[in-house]
Amino acid sequence: MTFNFDHIVSRFGTNSAKWDGMAQSLGSDMIALSVADMDVPAPPAVVDKVCEMARHGIYGYTDPFPTYYEAVRQWMDQAYQWKVERDWIVYCPRIIQAVSVLIQKCTEAGDRVLIHSPVYQPVAKAVTLNDRVLTESPLHLVNGRYEIDFADMEQRMREGVKMVLLISPHNPVGRVWTREELERIGRLCIEYDALIVSDDIHADFIHQGHEHTVIAKLSEEIAERSVICTSPGKTFNLASLEIANIIIPNRDLRERFKQGLLQAGIHNPTFFFRTCARSSLYLV
């Protein structure tokens, strides 16, 4: 199947956060380079299903059903060779909401949470807004490529880091972490007893010659302290359908996260959520 990525679709007048927000403050003759949503249509399979569902005419409360779990499991298996159990998958509208809930339920006020800076700012803000201490381990630019300073990271871990917020691939520097780098992160988190929360939302945007590795598949010991956050939102330009797949192998962590979602009033997905699940089965 071929797509015309040069076809221009105007988003002005659609309540676009990216384009209409810019037009209100700076004028419509500017080019929006802010919000990370694309200006190309979603895949035809998704668009067709959305239209079909819209014509149904009743937009009532919706629950995740088997097609959703099967779509996530198939995608993770075929794309990353990671076999995920159905029970591990928890629905959440957005990854940033999941990160906040995990911070609230798995750490205490005043605990240290580590990021590799520079980092996607909403992730960093989730730490400080929840009264945790943001601990930055800066990435180093080495021969045109950003790398983790593992000596610095370990020093920060010694200070009592309780959670590592891993952005994999990294946003904004674009690094695809190698298996060796992820193994070193995993070893540090085991040694210093820190939880790994990995935001893998850009995992499907990998250039030829690179391979995305889900950190939780490296070992059972790492998986037991890992939370993997994925979403079709970036891959298929479906951000406003609000669907994120939070994959948690550890039962205790999973139950704490579920409780946090309930406490925040997060339960039913949007009506068009199941559209994405059904369509994704054809896109796998």
Side-chain angles (χ1 to χ4, degrees):
M1 185 177 292
T2 60
F3 300 93
N4 180 9
F5 291 108
D6 293 323
H7 176 60
I8 298 175
V9 179
S10 174
R11 299 180 62 194
F12 288 117
T14 64
N15 293 323
S16 166
K18 179 177 179 179
W19 289 94
D20 288 323
M22 176 199 67
Q24 287 182 13
S25 59
L26 299 173
S28 59
D29 60 341
M30 306 290 287
I31 297 176
L33 299 173
S34 56
V35 182
D37 62 6
M38 295 179 287
D39 297 309
V40 295
V46 176
V47 176
D48 291 345
K49 185 59 68 172
V50 167
C51 292
E52 178 185 326
M53 294 293 294
R55 285 192 294 268
H56 183 265
I58 301 175
Y59 313 121
Y61 292 117
T62 307
D63 275 329
F65 281 103
T67 50
Y68 158 65
Y69 297 101
E70 189 58 28
V72 176
R73 293 182 67 221
Q74 285 190 26
W75 191 271
M76 299 308 295
D77 186 16
Q78 294 189 30
Y80 309 114
Q81 296 75 55
W82 188 36
K83 294 191 181 299
V84 171
E85 299 294 333
R86 171 176 168 164
D87 290 347
W88 298 358
I89 305 166
V90 184
Y91 162 78
C92 185
R94 297 188 179 209
I95 288 177
I96 195 62
Q97 290 173 332
V99 169
S100 287
V101 169
L102 288 162
I103 289 172
Q104 293 164 10
K105 299 301 291 184
C106 300
T107 65
E108 302 290 338
D111 280 349
R112 295 179 179 273
V113 179
L114 184 142
I115 61 169
H116 296 105
S117 58
V119 78
Y120 177 57
Q121 277 305 297
V123 169
K125 288 181 180 178
V127 177
T128 55
L129 287 172
N130 283 293
D131 300 319
R132 274 57 171 176
V133 177
L134 182 66
T135 300
E136 299 186 47
S137 181
L139 300 174
H140 284 188
L141 187 61
V142 180
N143 297 323
R145 187 178 87 155
Y146 281 94
E147 295 184 355
I148 296 171
D149 182 343
F150 280 101
D152 178 81
M153 182 179 176
E154 182 164 13
Q155 177 59 42
R156 307 297 178 194
M157 300 291 286
R158 289 197 192 102
E159 296 169 359
V161 166
K162 299 298 183 183
M163 177 184 291
V164 172
L165 294 180
L166 177 66
I167 314 298
S168 181
H170 193 274
N171 179 13
V173 308
R175 267 299 313 279
V176 179
W177 306 120
T178 65
R179 187 182 186 94
E180 291 71 26
E181 288 170 319
L182 294 172
E183 287 173 341
R184 291 185 71 177
I185 292 171
R187 287 196 296 270
L188 285 174
C189 289
I190 291 169
E191 181 176 354
Y192 294 99
D193 193 23
L195 177 65
I196 303 166
V197 177
S198 184
D199 178 354
D200 292 29
I201 196 169
H202 289 104
D204 296 314
F205 295 96
I206 303 298
H207 288 184
Q208 189 172 4
H210 300 274
E211 180 181 355
H212 175 71
T213 300
V214 179
I215 193 168
K217 67 177 281 189
L218 294 179
S219 73
E220 184 174 347
E221 192 173 11
I222 292 175
E224 281 295 298
R225 63 176 62 249
S226 294
V227 177
I228 308 301
C229 305
T230 74
S231 169
K234 303 299 184 189
T235 304
F236 301 117
N237 201 23
L238 308 175
S240 65
L241 289 187
E242 300 224 322
I243 172 173
N245 320 304
I246 312 304
I247 306 173
I248 312 175
N250 182 297
R251 181 177 179 180
D252 177 63
L253 289 175
R254 190 166 64 246
E255 291 306 315
R256 275 191 272 169
F257 177 62
K258 287 181 176 180
Q259 180 68 12
L261 292 179
L262 292 175
Q263 290 172 331
I266 298 173
H267 43 90
N268 298 90
T270 68
F271 176 79
F272 292 104
F273 155 89
R274 69 188 185 121
T275 299
C276 181
R278 288 183 175 181
S279 300
S280 294
L281 286 171
Y282 298 103
L283 294 168
V284 172

PDB file of all heavy atoms in Angstrom, residues 198-210:
ATOM      1  N   SER A 198       9.421   3.139  31.474  1.00  0.00           N
ATOM      2  CA  SER A 198       9.970   3.396  30.145  1.00  0.00           C
ATOM      3  C   SER A 198       8.876   3.880  29.196  1.00  0.00           C
ATOM      4  O   SER A 198       7.902   3.171  28.946  1.00  0.00           O
ATOM      5  CB  SER A 198      10.616   2.116  29.593  1.00  0.00           C
ATOM      6  OG  SER A 198      11.227   2.362  28.346  1.00  0.00           O
ATOM      7  N   ASP A 199       9.047   5.084  28.680  1.00  0.00           N
ATOM      8  CA  ASP A 199       8.131   5.662  27.695  1.00  0.00           C
ATOM      9  C   ASP A 199       8.640   5.295  26.301  1.00  0.00           C
ATOM     10  O   ASP A 199       9.601   5.868  25.809  1.00  0.00           O
ATOM     11  CB  ASP A 199       8.084   7.183  27.876  1.00  0.00           C
ATOM     12  CG  ASP A 199       7.188   7.880  26.854  1.00  0.00           C
ATOM     13  OD1 ASP A 199       6.686   7.203  25.937  1.00  0.00           O
ATOM     14  OD2 ASP A 199       7.012   9.107  26.966  1.00  0.00           O
ATOM     15  N   ASP A 200       7.969   4.315  25.683  1.00  0.00           N
ATOM     16  CA  ASP A 200       8.390   3.788  24.374  1.00  0.00           C
ATOM     17  C   ASP A 200       7.510   4.301  23.233  1.00  0.00           C
ATOM     18  O   ASP A 200       7.385   3.650  22.200  1.00  0.00           O
ATOM     19  CB  ASP A 200       8.352   2.253  24.393  1.00  0.00           C
ATOM     20  CG  ASP A 200       9.404   1.637  25.290  1.00  0.00           C
ATOM     21  OD1 ASP A 200       9.787   2.290  26.278  1.00  0.00           O
ATOM     22  OD2 ASP A 200       9.830   0.506  25.026  1.00  0.00           O
ATOM     23  N   ILE A 201       6.913   5.470  23.379  1.00  0.00           N
ATOM     24  CA  ILE A 201       5.914   5.928  22.417  1.00  0.00           C
ATOM     25  C   ILE A 201       6.489   6.139  21.021  1.00  0.00           C
ATOM     26  O   ILE A 201       5.775   6.037  20.028  1.00  0.00           O
ATOM     27  CB  ILE A 201       5.222   7.216  22.916  1.00  0.00           C
ATOM     28  CG1 ILE A 201       3.924   7.458  22.129  1.00  0.00           C
ATOM     29  CG2 ILE A 201       6.158   8.420  22.834  1.00  0.00           C
ATOM     30  CD1 ILE A 201       3.038   8.535  22.714  1.00  0.00           C
ATOM     31  N   HIS A 202       7.803   6.413  20.914  1.00  0.00           N
ATOM     32  CA  HIS A 202       8.403   6.631  19.596  1.00  0.00           C
ATOM     33  C   HIS A 202       9.116   5.386  19.058  1.00  0.00           C
ATOM     34  O   HIS A 202       9.906   5.476  18.114  1.00  0.00           O
ATOM     35  CB  HIS A 202       9.386   7.806  19.645  1.00  0.00           C
ATOM     36  CG  HIS A 202       8.725   9.144  19.805  1.00  0.00           C
ATOM     37  ND1 HIS A 202       8.708   9.839  20.995  1.00  0.00           N
ATOM     38  CD2 HIS A 202       8.025   9.900  18.916  1.00  0.00           C
ATOM     39  CE1 HIS A 202       8.042  10.968  20.823  1.00  0.00           C
ATOM     40  NE2 HIS A 202       7.620  11.034  19.584  1.00  0.00           N
ATOM     41  N   ALA A 203       8.828   4.237  19.637  1.00  0.00           N
ATOM     42  CA  ALA A 203       9.548   3.018  19.270  1.00  0.00           C
ATOM     43  C   ALA A 203       9.355   2.610  17.814  1.00  0.00           C
ATOM     44  O   ALA A 203      10.213   1.927  17.237  1.00  0.00           O
ATOM     45  CB  ALA A 203       9.126   1.863  20.177  1.00  0.00           C
ATOM     46  N   ASP A 204       8.252   3.009  17.203  1.00  0.00           N
ATOM     47  CA  ASP A 204       7.993   2.599  15.818  1.00  0.00           C
ATOM     48  C   ASP A 204       8.673   3.501  14.799  1.00  0.00           C
ATOM     49  O   ASP A 204       8.603   3.230  13.599  1.00  0.00           O
ATOM     50  CB  ASP A 204       6.475   2.578  15.559  1.00  0.00           C
ATOM     51  CG  ASP A 204       5.766   1.547  16.419  1.00  0.00           C
ATOM     52  OD1 ASP A 204       6.261   0.410  16.499  1.00  0.00           O
ATOM     53  OD2 ASP A 204       4.730   1.875  17.024  1.00  0.00           O
ATOM     54  N   PHE A 205       9.353   4.562  15.251  1.00  0.00           N
ATOM     55  CA  PHE A 205      10.050   5.476  14.342  1.00  0.00           C
ATOM     56  C   PHE A 205      11.549   5.203  14.382  1.00  0.00           C
ATOM     57  O   PHE A 205      12.331   6.019  14.883  1.00  0.00           O
ATOM     58  CB  PHE A 205       9.767   6.930  14.720  1.00  0.00           C
ATOM     59  CG  PHE A 205       8.332   7.340  14.562  1.00  0.00           C
ATOM     60  CD1 PHE A 205       7.461   7.313  15.638  1.00  0.00           C
ATOM     61  CD2 PHE A 205       7.839   7.736  13.332  1.00  0.00           C
ATOM     62  CE1 PHE A 205       6.131   7.679  15.496  1.00  0.00           C
ATOM     63  CE2 PHE A 205       6.518   8.112  13.172  1.00  0.00           C
ATOM     64  CZ  PHE A 205       5.655   8.079  14.261  1.00  0.00           C
ATOM     65  N   ILE A 206      11.945   4.069  13.884  1.00  0.00           N
ATOM     66  CA  ILE A 206      13.351   3.675  13.948  1.00  0.00           C
ATOM     67  C   ILE A 206      13.947   3.660  12.543  1.00  0.00           C
ATOM     68  O   ILE A 206      13.399   3.027  11.636  1.00  0.00           O
ATOM     69  CB  ILE A 206      13.502   2.270  14.579  1.00  0.00           C
ATOM     70  CG1 ILE A 206      12.862   2.242  15.962  1.00  0.00           C
ATOM     71  CG2 ILE A 206      14.978   1.878  14.652  1.00  0.00           C
ATOM     72  CD1 ILE A 206      13.486   3.166  16.954  1.00  0.00           C
ATOM     73  N   HIS A 207      15.053   4.367  12.361  1.00  0.00           N
ATOM     74  CA  HIS A 207      15.710   4.384  11.056  1.00  0.00           C
ATOM     75  C   HIS A 207      16.417   3.052  10.800  1.00  0.00           C
ATOM     76  O   HIS A 207      16.797   2.336  11.733  1.00  0.00           O
ATOM     77  CB  HIS A 207      16.725   5.522  10.988  1.00  0.00           C
ATOM     78  CG  HIS A 207      16.093   6.877  10.913  1.00  0.00           C
ATOM     79  ND1 HIS A 207      16.833   8.028  10.758  1.00  0.00           N
ATOM     80  CD2 HIS A 207      14.794   7.273  10.951  1.00  0.00           C
ATOM     81  CE1 HIS A 207      16.033   9.066  10.709  1.00  0.00           C
ATOM     82  NE2 HIS A 207      14.787   8.643  10.831  1.00  0.00           N
ATOM     83  N   GLN A 208      16.580   2.761   9.536  1.00  0.00           N
ATOM     84  CA  GLN A 208      17.254   1.524   9.136  1.00  0.00           C
ATOM     85  C   GLN A 208      18.648   1.445   9.766  1.00  0.00           C
ATOM     86  O   GLN A 208      19.376   2.427   9.837  1.00  0.00           O
ATOM     87  CB  GLN A 208      17.357   1.459   7.606  1.00  0.00           C
ATOM     88  CG  GLN A 208      17.837   0.123   7.070  1.00  0.00           C
ATOM     89  CD  GLN A 208      17.741   0.049   5.554  1.00  0.00           C
ATOM     90  OE1 GLN A 208      17.396   1.010   4.899  1.00  0.00           O
ATOM     91  NE2 GLN A 208      18.041  -1.102   5.008  1.00  0.00           N
ATOM     92  N   GLY A 209      18.986   0.255  10.237  1.00  0.00           N
ATOM     93  CA  GLY A 209      20.272   0.067  10.884  1.00  0.00           C
ATOM     94  C   GLY A 209      20.211   0.119  12.397  1.00  0.00           C
ATOM     95  O   GLY A 209      21.214  -0.130  13.070  1.00  0.00           O
ATOM     96  N   HIS A 210      19.025   0.457  12.934  1.00  0.00           N
ATOM     97  CA  HIS A 210      18.835   0.500  14.374  1.00  0.00           C
ATOM     98  C   HIS A 210      17.707  -0.443  14.762  1.00  0.00           C
ATOM     99  O   HIS A 210      16.851  -0.786  13.946  1.00  0.00           O
ATOM    100  CB  HIS A 210      18.510   1.926  14.839  1.00  0.00           C
ATOM    101  CG  HIS A 210      19.576   2.922  14.527  1.00  0.00           C
ATOM    102  ND1 HIS A 210      20.648   3.152  15.355  1.00  0.00           N
ATOM    103  CD2 HIS A 210      19.737   3.740  13.449  1.00  0.00           C
ATOM    104  CE1 HIS A 210      21.425   4.065  14.826  1.00  0.00           C
ATOM    105  NE2 HIS A 210      20.907   4.442  13.658  1.00  0.00           N
TER     106      HIS A 210
END
